[in-house]
Amino acid sequence: MRRKLTPVRAQRVRATIPLTTQDGVSGVITDISSAGMLLELPVKQEPGSVIAFSVELKTPGGPLKLTGEGEVVRVVEESGIYKVAAKTIKPLADTKT
């Protein structure tokens, strides 16, 4: 008899991380997991498109710039802000490496 496997969802973490897209658009990461993230942007993104972005974190050793990429899977407009769900293609990584 085969056991039915229950899909495991990646654990989500609520966040408020400012980001800048490759096009220079400012937004915020509001939810992040190992599988993807939820972004809030002032500009609509198309499902299926790839969004590249960077975040800059303040650390004791100075600013740390991280870049990443995601595939847009869903877009919902709320009061002029676009909530963009993106599947992780390239996880956030230090741009120096």
Side-chain angles (χ1 to χ4, degrees), residues 3-94:
R3 283 191 322 171
K4 187 174 183 178
L5 297 176
T6 304
V8 177
R9 291 189 80 184
Q11 185 174 358
R12 297 175 180 267
V13 176
R14 299 241 183 254
T16 304
I17 305 169
L19 69 88
T20 304
T21 69
Q22 67 186 13
D23 301 324
V25 175
S26 295
V28 178
I29 298 172
T30 60
D31 184 293
I32 191 165
S33 75
S34 61
M37 63 205 79
L38 184 64
L39 315 175
E40 289 188 357
L41 298 169
V43 178
K44 185 176 181 181
Q45 304 294 311
E46 293 299 321
S49 65
V50 173
I51 185 166
F53 58 91
S54 64
V55 299
E56 192 167 304
L57 304 174
K58 294 178 183 172
T59 72
L64 176 64
K65 186 173 182 180
L66 305 174
T67 60
E69 291 182 4
E71 178 186 351
V72 176
V73 294
R74 183 178 62 255
V75 179
V76 176
E77 189 267 337
E78 289 184 11
S79 304
I81 299 294
Y82 295 94
K83 294 190 176 202
V84 178
K87 177 174 68 173
T88 301
I89 295 174
K90 179 182 161 195
L92 288 171
D94 187 342

